[in-house]
Amino acid sequence: MLIAAIVALAVGTYAFRVAGVLLRDRLDMPAGARQLLPVGAAALLAALAATAALTEAGGFAGWARPTGVLVGVALAWRRAPFVVVVLAAAGTAAVLRLLGVP
């Protein structure tokens, strides 16, 4: 059952991507919609990041995780290497939890 679900998701994902390439010239989108698509993608990613950083099991995740995310964002903004960003963010959250911060 799990393999069938994985195969179905893989086929659906591939078909969705192929449909975009094949239908690109056949669909005519208004200019306003074309301008909003990149902003919509950025807003969707920001919403996903905020949801993952702030919530857990339908409630507030505590202060350690958002603080770690903020450290990661600050380091990414300063163009730190990706490994440093990930390790600093995870380390910050881990140290805060070790200190008893939820």
Side-chain angles (χ1 to χ4, degrees), residues 1-28:
M1 180 66 180
L2 179 63
I3 297 298
I6 291 172
V7 169
L9 287 173
V11 169
T13 301
Y14 185 75
F16 193 71
R17 290 180 178 214
V18 168
V21 172
L22 294 176
L23 297 176
R24 178 178 50 190
D25 294 333
R26 294 183 181 181
L27 295 175
D28 189 25

Side-chain angles (χ1 to χ4, degrees), residues 53-54 60-71 92-94 96-97 100-102:
L54 298 175
F60 182 57
W63 291 104
R65 188 187 302 174
T67 304
V69 170
L70 286 177
V71 168
T92 300
L96 288 175
R97 287 184 178 156
V101 177

Side-chain angles (χ1 to χ4, degrees), residues 73-101:
V73 168
L75 289 174
W77 192 358
R78 301 291 300 172
R79 299 185 185 264
F82 181 71
V83 173
V84 172
V85 171
V86 171
L87 290 177
T92 300
V95 167
L96 288 175
R97 287 184 178 156
L98 189 64
L99 295 174
V101 177

Side-chain angles (χ1 to χ4, degrees), residues 28-70:
D28 189 25
M29 296 180 62
R34 285 187 192 158
Q35 291 177 345
L36 287 177
L37 280 177
V39 176
L44 179 62
L45 287 174
L48 285 171
T51 302
L54 298 175
T55 63
E56 181 176 334
F60 182 57
W63 291 104
R65 188 187 302 174
T67 304
V69 170
L70 286 177

